[in-house]
mmCIF file of all heavy atoms in Angstrom:
data_model
loop_
_atom_site.group_PDB
_atom_site.id
_atom_site.type_symbol
_atom_site.label_atom_id
_atom_site.label_comp_id
_atom_site.label_asym_id
_atom_site.label_seq_id
_atom_site.Cartn_x
_atom_site.Cartn_y
_atom_site.Cartn_z
ATOM 1 N N LEU A 60 63.935 55.355 -34.799
ATOM 2 C CA LEU A 60 63.401 55.038 -36.125
ATOM 3 C C LEU A 60 62.198 54.102 -36.011
ATOM 4 O O LEU A 60 61.185 54.285 -36.707
ATOM 5 C CB LEU A 60 64.495 54.412 -36.989
ATOM 6 C CG LEU A 60 64.092 53.975 -38.400
ATOM 7 C CD1 LEU A 60 63.543 55.153 -39.201
ATOM 8 C CD2 LEU A 60 65.286 53.336 -39.122
ATOM 9 N N ALA A 61 62.298 53.123 -35.126
ATOM 10 C CA ALA A 61 61.185 52.194 -34.919
ATOM 11 C C ALA A 61 59.959 52.925 -34.382
ATOM 12 O O ALA A 61 58.817 52.638 -34.778
ATOM 13 C CB ALA A 61 61.609 51.081 -33.962
ATOM 14 N N ALA A 62 60.164 53.876 -33.468
ATOM 15 C CA ALA A 62 59.048 54.640 -32.912
ATOM 16 C C ALA A 62 58.368 55.472 -34.001
ATOM 17 O O ALA A 62 57.131 55.562 -34.049
ATOM 18 C CB ALA A 62 59.543 55.537 -31.780
ATOM 19 N N MET A 63 59.163 56.069 -34.873
ATOM 20 C CA MET A 63 58.596 56.838 -35.974
ATOM 21 C C MET A 63 57.802 55.946 -36.917
ATOM 22 O O MET A 63 56.704 56.296 -37.365
ATOM 23 C CB MET A 63 59.722 57.557 -36.727
ATOM 24 C CG MET A 63 60.378 58.678 -35.932
ATOM 25 S SD MET A 63 61.944 59.274 -36.659
ATOM 26 C CE MET A 63 61.419 59.752 -38.305
ATOM 27 N N HIS A 64 58.341 54.771 -37.200
ATOM 28 C CA HIS A 64 57.663 53.828 -38.083
ATOM 29 C C HIS A 64 56.328 53.387 -37.486
ATOM 30 O O HIS A 64 55.299 53.366 -38.176
ATOM 31 C CB HIS A 64 58.571 52.617 -38.325
ATOM 32 C CG HIS A 64 57.954 51.563 -39.192
ATOM 33 N ND1 HIS A 64 57.910 51.654 -40.566
ATOM 34 C CD2 HIS A 64 57.353 50.379 -38.867
ATOM 35 C CE1 HIS A 64 57.316 50.593 -41.059
ATOM 36 N NE2 HIS A 64 56.971 49.799 -40.056
ATOM 37 N N THR A 65 56.341 53.060 -36.193
ATOM 38 C CA THR A 65 55.119 52.626 -35.518
ATOM 39 C C THR A 65 54.071 53.738 -35.512
ATOM 40 O O THR A 65 52.866 53.469 -35.603
ATOM 41 C CB THR A 65 55.440 52.200 -34.073
ATOM 42 O OG1 THR A 65 56.372 51.114 -34.108
ATOM 43 C CG2 THR A 65 54.195 51.767 -33.326
ATOM 44 N N ALA A 66 54.529 54.988 -35.399
ATOM 45 C CA ALA A 66 53.610 56.123 -35.358
ATOM 46 C C ALA A 66 53.074 56.507 -36.734
ATOM 47 O O ALA A 66 52.255 57.429 -36.846
ATOM 48 C CB ALA A 66 54.310 57.326 -34.724
ATOM 49 N N GLY A 67 53.540 55.837 -37.774
ATOM 50 C CA GLY A 67 53.038 56.107 -39.113
ATOM 51 C C GLY A 67 53.716 57.258 -39.823
ATOM 52 O O GLY A 67 53.209 57.752 -40.832
ATOM 53 N N ILE A 68 54.861 57.683 -39.311
ATOM 54 C CA ILE A 68 55.621 58.752 -39.967
ATOM 55 C C ILE A 68 56.379 58.155 -41.146
ATOM 56 O O ILE A 68 57.141 57.202 -40.978
ATOM 57 C CB ILE A 68 56.579 59.428 -38.981
ATOM 58 C CG1 ILE A 68 55.772 60.146 -37.885
ATOM 59 C CG2 ILE A 68 57.507 60.407 -39.694
ATOM 60 C CD1 ILE A 68 56.577 60.547 -36.680
ATOM 61 N N GLU A 69 56.164 58.697 -42.311
ATOM 62 C CA GLU A 69 56.769 58.127 -43.521
ATOM 63 C C GLU A 69 58.253 58.482 -43.584
ATOM 64 O O GLU A 69 58.629 59.654 -43.465
ATOM 65 C CB GLU A 69 56.047 58.633 -44.763
ATOM 66 C CG GLU A 69 56.523 57.957 -46.038
ATOM 67 C CD GLU A 69 55.689 58.327 -47.256
ATOM 68 O OE1 GLU A 69 54.681 59.040 -47.091
ATOM 69 O OE2 GLU A 69 56.070 57.893 -48.362
ATOM 70 N N VAL A 70 59.093 57.472 -43.760
ATOM 71 C CA VAL A 70 60.542 57.650 -43.876
ATOM 72 C C VAL A 70 60.955 57.177 -45.267
ATOM 73 O O VAL A 70 61.069 55.974 -45.510
ATOM 74 C CB VAL A 70 61.296 56.868 -42.783
ATOM 75 C CG1 VAL A 70 62.808 57.070 -42.930
ATOM 76 C CG2 VAL A 70 60.850 57.303 -41.394
ATOM 77 N N PRO A 71 61.174 58.087 -46.200
ATOM 78 C CA PRO A 71 61.490 57.685 -47.571
ATOM 79 C C PRO A 71 62.943 57.290 -47.788
ATOM 80 O O PRO A 71 63.279 56.705 -48.819
ATOM 81 C CB PRO A 71 61.149 58.938 -48.381
ATOM 82 C CG PRO A 71 61.404 60.068 -47.423
ATOM 83 C CD PRO A 71 61.009 59.549 -46.079
ATOM 84 N N LEU A 72 63.828 57.619 -46.813
ATOM 85 C CA LEU A 72 65.254 57.338 -46.977
ATOM 86 C C LEU A 72 65.933 57.318 -45.619
ATOM 87 O O LEU A 72 65.592 58.131 -44.741
ATOM 88 C CB LEU A 72 65.916 58.418 -47.847
ATOM 89 C CG LEU A 72 67.433 58.339 -48.047
ATOM 90 C CD1 LEU A 72 67.811 57.093 -48.841
ATOM 91 C CD2 LEU A 72 67.958 59.610 -48.735
ATOM 92 N N VAL A 73 66.868 56.401 -45.455
ATOM 93 C CA VAL A 73 67.689 56.326 -44.248
ATOM 94 C C VAL A 73 69.153 56.512 -44.624
ATOM 95 O O VAL A 73 69.633 55.903 -45.586
ATOM 96 C CB VAL A 73 67.490 54.979 -43.524
ATOM 97 C CG1 VAL A 73 68.675 54.655 -42.617
ATOM 98 C CG2 VAL A 73 66.205 54.997 -42.705
ATOM 99 N N LEU A 74 69.854 57.349 -43.860
ATOM 100 C CA LEU A 74 71.308 57.456 -43.952
ATOM 101 C C LEU A 74 71.904 56.787 -42.723
ATOM 102 O O LEU A 74 71.445 57.013 -41.593
ATOM 103 C CB LEU A 74 71.760 58.915 -43.985
ATOM 104 C CG LEU A 74 71.269 59.825 -45.108
ATOM 105 C CD1 LEU A 74 71.958 61.179 -45.006
ATOM 106 C CD2 LEU A 74 71.507 59.213 -46.463
ATOM 107 N N THR A 75 72.927 55.987 -42.928
ATOM 108 C CA THR A 75 73.622 55.359 -41.810
ATOM 109 C C THR A 75 75.067 55.143 -42.206
ATOM 110 O O THR A 75 75.419 55.197 -43.394
ATOM 111 C CB THR A 75 72.946 54.032 -41.412
ATOM 112 O OG1 THR A 75 73.473 53.568 -40.169
ATOM 113 C CG2 THR A 75 73.151 52.955 -42.474
ATOM 114 N N GLN A 76 75.918 54.916 -41.230
ATOM 115 C CA GLN A 76 77.337 54.763 -41.533
ATOM 116 C C GLN A 76 77.604 53.450 -42.275
ATOM 117 O O GLN A 76 76.837 52.483 -42.164
ATOM 118 C CB GLN A 76 78.164 54.825 -40.254
ATOM 119 C CG GLN A 76 78.243 56.219 -39.665
ATOM 120 C CD GLN A 76 79.533 56.446 -38.907
ATOM 121 O OE1 GLN A 76 80.606 56.030 -39.317
ATOM 122 N NE2 GLN A 76 79.431 57.124 -37.776
ATOM 123 N N PRO A 77 78.709 53.380 -43.022
ATOM 124 C CA PRO A 77 79.051 52.152 -43.747
ATOM 125 C C PRO A 77 79.188 50.952 -42.813
ATOM 126 O O PRO A 77 79.485 51.101 -41.621
ATOM 127 C CB PRO A 77 80.395 52.502 -44.407
ATOM 128 C CG PRO A 77 80.392 53.995 -44.509
ATOM 129 C CD PRO A 77 79.661 54.482 -43.297
ATOM 130 N N ASP A 78 78.947 49.761 -43.350
ATOM 131 C CA ASP A 78 79.120 48.535 -42.577
ATOM 132 C C ASP A 78 80.540 48.468 -42.033
ATOM 133 O O ASP A 78 81.496 48.898 -42.689
ATOM 134 C CB ASP A 78 78.851 47.305 -43.451
ATOM 135 C CG ASP A 78 77.408 47.238 -43.948
ATOM 136 O OD1 ASP A 78 76.615 48.123 -43.575
ATOM 137 O OD2 ASP A 78 77.092 46.307 -44.706
ATOM 138 N N ARG A 79 80.680 47.900 -40.823
ATOM 139 C CA ARG A 79 81.982 47.816 -40.163
ATOM 140 C C ARG A 79 82.310 46.383 -39.794
ATOM 141 O O ARG A 79 81.411 45.590 -39.488
ATOM 142 C CB ARG A 79 81.976 48.645 -38.867
ATOM 143 C CG ARG A 79 81.500 50.071 -39.012
ATOM 144 C CD ARG A 79 82.529 50.954 -39.680
ATOM 145 N NE ARG A 79 82.133 52.356 -39.611
ATOM 146 C CZ ARG A 79 82.647 53.312 -40.369
ATOM 147 N NH1 ARG A 79 83.601 53.025 -41.243
ATOM 148 N NH2 ARG A 79 82.229 54.569 -40.246
ATOM 149 N N PRO A 80 83.609 46.033 -39.773
ATOM 150 C CA PRO A 80 83.981 44.703 -39.268
ATOM 151 C C PRO A 80 83.803 44.657 -37.755
ATOM 152 O O PRO A 80 84.116 45.617 -37.049
ATOM 153 C CB PRO A 80 85.450 44.568 -39.670
ATOM 154 C CG PRO A 80 85.946 45.969 -39.811
ATOM 155 C CD PRO A 80 84.776 46.779 -40.276
ATOM 156 N N ALA A 81 83.284 43.545 -37.258
ATOM 157 C CA ALA A 81 83.049 43.405 -35.822
ATOM 158 C C ALA A 81 83.082 41.938 -35.437
ATOM 159 O O ALA A 81 82.950 41.045 -36.284
ATOM 160 C CB ALA A 81 81.711 44.032 -35.433
ATOM 161 N N GLY A 82 83.273 41.692 -34.136
ATOM 162 C CA GLY A 82 83.291 40.322 -33.631
ATOM 163 C C GLY A 82 84.646 39.665 -33.816
ATOM 164 O O GLY A 82 85.578 40.235 -34.405
ATOM 165 N N ARG A 83 84.762 38.446 -33.294
ATOM 166 C CA ARG A 83 86.046 37.743 -33.364
ATOM 167 C C ARG A 83 86.467 37.460 -34.793
ATOM 168 O O ARG A 83 87.645 37.463 -35.117
ATOM 169 C CB ARG A 83 85.947 36.441 -32.571
ATOM 170 C CG ARG A 83 85.817 36.663 -31.060
ATOM 171 C CD ARG A 83 85.925 35.380 -30.293
ATOM 172 N NE ARG A 83 85.890 35.599 -28.849
ATOM 173 C CZ ARG A 83 86.002 34.643 -27.941
ATOM 174 N NH1 ARG A 83 86.153 33.381 -28.332
ATOM 175 N NH2 ARG A 83 85.963 34.930 -26.648
ATOM 176 N N GLY A 84 85.503 37.208 -35.663
ATOM 177 C CA GLY A 84 85.829 36.938 -37.056
ATOM 178 C C GLY A 84 85.986 38.190 -37.883
ATOM 179 O O GLY A 84 86.359 38.123 -39.052
ATOM 180 N N MET A 85 85.733 39.363 -37.275
ATOM 181 C CA MET A 85 85.832 40.657 -37.955
ATOM 182 C C MET A 85 85.064 40.646 -39.274
ATOM 183 O O MET A 85 85.514 41.164 -40.300
ATOM 184 C CB MET A 85 87.302 41.022 -38.178
ATOM 185 C CG MET A 85 88.072 41.261 -36.893
ATOM 186 S SD MET A 85 87.346 42.579 -35.858
ATOM 187 C CE MET A 85 87.800 44.040 -36.777
ATOM 188 N N GLN A 86 83.875 40.058 -39.236
ATOM 189 C CA GLN A 86 83.015 40.075 -40.408
ATOM 190 C C GLN A 86 82.270 41.408 -40.484
ATOM 191 O O GLN A 86 82.061 42.073 -39.478
ATOM 192 C CB GLN A 86 82.019 38.915 -40.358
ATOM 193 C CG GLN A 86 82.674 37.536 -40.418
ATOM 194 C CD GLN A 86 81.652 36.414 -40.416
ATOM 195 O OE1 GLN A 86 80.500 36.612 -40.045
ATOM 196 N NE2 GLN A 86 82.082 35.235 -40.833
ATOM 197 N N MET A 87 81.871 41.788 -41.686
ATOM 198 C CA MET A 87 81.184 43.054 -41.877
ATOM 199 C C MET A 87 79.772 42.976 -41.294
ATOM 200 O O MET A 87 79.045 42.009 -41.519
ATOM 201 C CB MET A 87 81.118 43.402 -43.360
ATOM 202 C CG MET A 87 82.492 43.558 -44.008
ATOM 203 S SD MET A 87 83.489 44.888 -43.279
ATOM 204 C CE MET A 87 82.640 46.327 -43.915
ATOM 205 N N HIS A 88 79.426 44.007 -40.525
ATOM 206 C CA HIS A 88 78.112 44.049 -39.896
ATOM 207 C C HIS A 88 77.414 45.356 -40.246
ATOM 208 O O HIS A 88 78.015 46.431 -40.217
ATOM 209 C CB HIS A 88 78.236 43.930 -38.376
ATOM 210 C CG HIS A 88 78.523 42.540 -37.897
ATOM 211 N ND1 HIS A 88 77.542 41.681 -37.454
ATOM 212 C CD2 HIS A 88 79.682 41.855 -37.817
ATOM 213 C CE1 HIS A 88 78.085 40.529 -37.108
ATOM 214 N NE2 HIS A 88 79.395 40.599 -37.319
ATOM 215 N N ALA A 89 76.122 45.238 -40.544
ATOM 216 C CA ALA A 89 75.304 46.424 -40.778
ATOM 217 C C ALA A 89 74.920 47.057 -39.449
ATOM 218 O O ALA A 89 74.771 46.368 -38.433
ATOM 219 C CB ALA A 89 74.051 46.038 -41.554
ATOM 220 N N SER A 90 74.744 48.354 -39.451
ATOM 221 C CA SER A 90 74.334 49.058 -38.233
ATOM 222 C C SER A 90 72.915 48.652 -37.856
ATOM 223 O O SER A 90 72.129 48.196 -38.701
ATOM 224 C CB SER A 90 74.396 50.568 -38.455
ATOM 225 O OG SER A 90 73.332 50.986 -39.295
ATOM 226 N N PRO A 91 72.544 48.817 -36.576
ATOM 227 C CA PRO A 91 71.157 48.540 -36.179
ATOM 228 C C PRO A 91 70.136 49.337 -36.996
ATOM 229 O O PRO A 91 69.056 48.824 -37.307
ATOM 230 C CB PRO A 91 71.135 48.941 -34.704
ATOM 231 C CG PRO A 91 72.533 48.690 -34.232
ATOM 232 C CD PRO A 91 73.395 49.102 -35.396
ATOM 233 N N VAL A 92 70.465 50.576 -37.354
ATOM 234 C CA VAL A 92 69.547 51.379 -38.163
ATOM 235 C C VAL A 92 69.380 50.766 -39.550
ATOM 236 O O VAL A 92 68.258 50.670 -40.075
ATOM 237 C CB VAL A 92 70.041 52.835 -38.254
ATOM 238 C CG1 VAL A 92 69.350 53.587 -39.382
ATOM 239 C CG2 VAL A 92 69.800 53.548 -36.930
ATOM 240 N N LYS A 93 70.463 50.344 -40.158
ATOM 241 C CA LYS A 93 70.356 49.719 -41.482
ATOM 242 C C LYS A 93 69.548 48.432 -41.408
ATOM 243 O O LYS A 93 68.713 48.152 -42.290
ATOM 244 C CB LYS A 93 71.750 49.430 -42.050
ATOM 245 C CG LYS A 93 71.701 48.766 -43.427
ATOM 246 C CD LYS A 93 73.089 48.478 -43.969
ATOM 247 C CE LYS A 93 73.020 47.783 -45.330
ATOM 248 N NZ LYS A 93 74.383 47.505 -45.882
ATOM 249 N N GLN A 94 69.786 47.642 -40.375
ATOM 250 C CA GLN A 94 69.043 46.395 -40.237
ATOM 251 C C GLN A 94 67.543 46.655 -40.164
ATOM 252 O O GLN A 94 66.743 45.969 -40.807
ATOM 253 C CB GLN A 94 69.517 45.640 -38.996
ATOM 254 C CG GLN A 94 70.953 45.132 -39.089
ATOM 255 C CD GLN A 94 71.414 44.463 -37.815
ATOM 256 O OE1 GLN A 94 70.677 43.714 -37.190
ATOM 257 N NE2 GLN A 94 72.647 44.745 -37.399
ATOM 258 N N PHE A 95 67.152 47.660 -39.365
ATOM 259 C CA PHE A 95 65.722 47.986 -39.262
ATOM 260 C C PHE A 95 65.183 48.471 -40.608
ATOM 261 O O PHE A 95 64.093 48.061 -41.040
ATOM 262 C CB PHE A 95 65.488 49.050 -38.189
ATOM 263 C CG PHE A 95 64.036 49.384 -37.993
ATOM 264 C CD1 PHE A 95 63.280 48.705 -37.058
ATOM 265 C CD2 PHE A 95 63.419 50.370 -38.764
ATOM 266 C CE1 PHE A 95 61.931 48.991 -36.889
ATOM 267 C CE2 PHE A 95 62.074 50.665 -38.598
ATOM 268 C CZ PHE A 95 61.325 49.968 -37.661
ATOM 269 N N ALA A 96 65.943 49.336 -41.265
ATOM 270 C CA ALA A 96 65.488 49.882 -42.546
ATOM 271 C C ALA A 96 65.276 48.782 -43.579
ATOM 272 O O ALA A 96 64.251 48.755 -44.284
ATOM 273 C CB ALA A 96 66.495 50.913 -43.048
ATOM 274 N N LEU A 97 66.214 47.855 -43.683
ATOM 275 C CA LEU A 97 66.086 46.778 -44.662
ATOM 276 C C LEU A 97 64.899 45.876 -44.334
ATOM 277 O O LEU A 97 64.182 45.420 -45.245
ATOM 278 C CB LEU A 97 67.380 45.960 -44.718
ATOM 279 C CG LEU A 97 68.617 46.714 -45.244
ATOM 280 C CD1 LEU A 97 69.827 45.791 -45.259
ATOM 281 C CD2 LEU A 97 68.357 47.291 -46.631
ATOM 282 N N GLN A 98 64.686 45.603 -43.047
ATOM 283 C CA GLN A 98 63.555 44.770 -42.640
ATOM 284 C C GLN A 98 62.221 45.398 -43.023
ATOM 285 O O GLN A 98 61.235 44.690 -43.240
ATOM 286 C CB GLN A 98 63.605 44.526 -41.137
ATOM 287 C CG GLN A 98 64.730 43.610 -40.683
ATOM 288 C CD GLN A 98 64.930 43.625 -39.180
ATOM 289 O OE1 GLN A 98 64.156 44.245 -38.437
ATOM 290 N NE2 GLN A 98 65.980 42.959 -38.709
ATOM 291 N N HIS A 99 62.198 46.726 -43.109
ATOM 292 C CA HIS A 99 60.942 47.429 -43.403
ATOM 293 C C HIS A 99 60.970 48.097 -44.773
ATOM 294 O O HIS A 99 60.178 48.992 -45.061
ATOM 295 C CB HIS A 99 60.660 48.455 -42.294
ATOM 296 C CG HIS A 99 60.399 47.813 -40.968
ATOM 297 N ND1 HIS A 99 61.412 47.454 -40.091
ATOM 298 C CD2 HIS A 99 59.241 47.428 -40.371
ATOM 299 C CE1 HIS A 99 60.884 46.898 -39.020
ATOM 300 N NE2 HIS A 99 59.586 46.864 -39.158
ATOM 301 N N HIS A 100 61.918 47.635 -45.624
ATOM 302 C CA HIS A 100 61.965 48.023 -47.036
ATOM 303 C C HIS A 100 62.104 49.534 -47.224
ATOM 304 O O HIS A 100 61.483 50.130 -48.104
ATOM 305 C CB HIS A 100 60.722 47.505 -47.765
ATOM 306 C CG HIS A 100 60.431 46.048 -47.498
ATOM 307 N ND1 HIS A 100 61.247 45.035 -47.970
ATOM 308 C CD2 HIS A 100 59.437 45.456 -46.775
ATOM 309 C CE1 HIS A 100 60.761 43.865 -47.558
ATOM 310 N NE2 HIS A 100 59.679 44.090 -46.832
ATOM 311 N N ILE A 101 62.940 50.144 -46.373
ATOM 312 C CA ILE A 101 63.240 51.564 -46.497
ATOM 313 C C ILE A 101 64.582 51.711 -47.210
ATOM 314 O O ILE A 101 65.563 51.069 -46.815
ATOM 315 C CB ILE A 101 63.319 52.238 -45.111
ATOM 316 C CG1 ILE A 101 62.014 52.032 -44.325
ATOM 317 C CG2 ILE A 101 63.609 53.728 -45.258
ATOM 318 C CD1 ILE A 101 62.095 52.500 -42.880
ATOM 319 N N PRO A 102 64.675 52.508 -48.269
ATOM 320 C CA PRO A 102 65.957 52.694 -48.966
ATOM 321 C C PRO A 102 67.041 53.219 -48.018
ATOM 322 O O PRO A 102 66.765 54.032 -47.128
ATOM 323 C CB PRO A 102 65.617 53.726 -50.046
ATOM 324 C CG PRO A 102 64.141 53.603 -50.253
ATOM 325 C CD PRO A 102 63.567 53.256 -48.911
ATOM 326 N N VAL A 103 68.274 52.749 -48.236
ATOM 327 C CA VAL A 103 69.394 53.090 -47.359
ATOM 328 C C VAL A 103 70.555 53.649 -48.180
ATOM 329 O O VAL A 103 70.891 53.105 -49.238
ATOM 330 C CB VAL A 103 69.881 51.850 -46.572
ATOM 331 C CG1 VAL A 103 71.116 52.182 -45.735
ATOM 332 C CG2 VAL A 103 68.775 51.307 -45.676
ATOM 333 N N ALA A 104 71.172 54.702 -47.686
ATOM 334 C CA ALA A 104 72.416 55.235 -48.249
ATOM 335 C C ALA A 104 73.469 55.242 -47.157
ATOM 336 O O ALA A 104 73.164 55.535 -46.000
ATOM 337 C CB ALA A 104 72.213 56.642 -48.794
ATOM 338 N N GLN A 105 74.727 54.897 -47.530
ATOM 339 C CA GLN A 105 75.803 54.776 -46.545
ATOM 340 C C GLN A 105 77.067 55.507 -46.984
ATOM 341 O O GLN A 105 78.126 54.896 -47.155
ATOM 342 C CB GLN A 105 76.119 53.296 -46.298
ATOM 343 C CG GLN A 105 74.972 52.508 -45.690
ATOM 344 C CD GLN A 105 75.321 51.050 -45.521
ATOM 345 O OE1 GLN A 105 75.079 50.230 -46.398
ATOM 346 N NE2 GLN A 105 75.919 50.718 -44.374
ATOM 347 N N PRO A 106 76.993 56.810 -47.140
ATOM 348 C CA PRO A 106 78.210 57.537 -47.534
ATOM 349 C C PRO A 106 79.242 57.528 -46.415
ATOM 350 O O PRO A 106 78.899 57.518 -45.230
ATOM 351 C CB PRO A 106 77.689 58.953 -47.798
ATOM 352 C CG PRO A 106 76.495 59.078 -46.897
ATOM 353 C CD PRO A 106 75.849 57.719 -46.913
#
């Protein structure tokens, strides 16, 4: 996704899996794809 963004390919929407609990505290974590999408203001859907 980062390579596509750098190359100027327009991504109007990202699909990624729902946030999951992870780590010792089992807190909810966004996927790496969602994190990148949010940082670059790309809409995200998580069915």
Side-chain angles (χ1 to χ4, degrees):
L60 178 58
M63 291 167 57
H64 178 80
T65 300
I68 295 165
E69 187 173 355
V70 180
L72 176 66
V73 158
L74 300 186
T75 191
Q76 288 210 40
D78 296 358
R79 308 285 189 197
R83 292 188 176 182
M85 295 302 287
Q86 296 182 342
M87 299 299 287
H88 284 263
S90 73
V92 164
K93 180 180 179 179
Q94 293 177 41
F95 183 91
L97 294 180
Q98 290 168 6
H99 294 86
H100 311 291
I101 303 172
V103 176
Q105 296 178 269

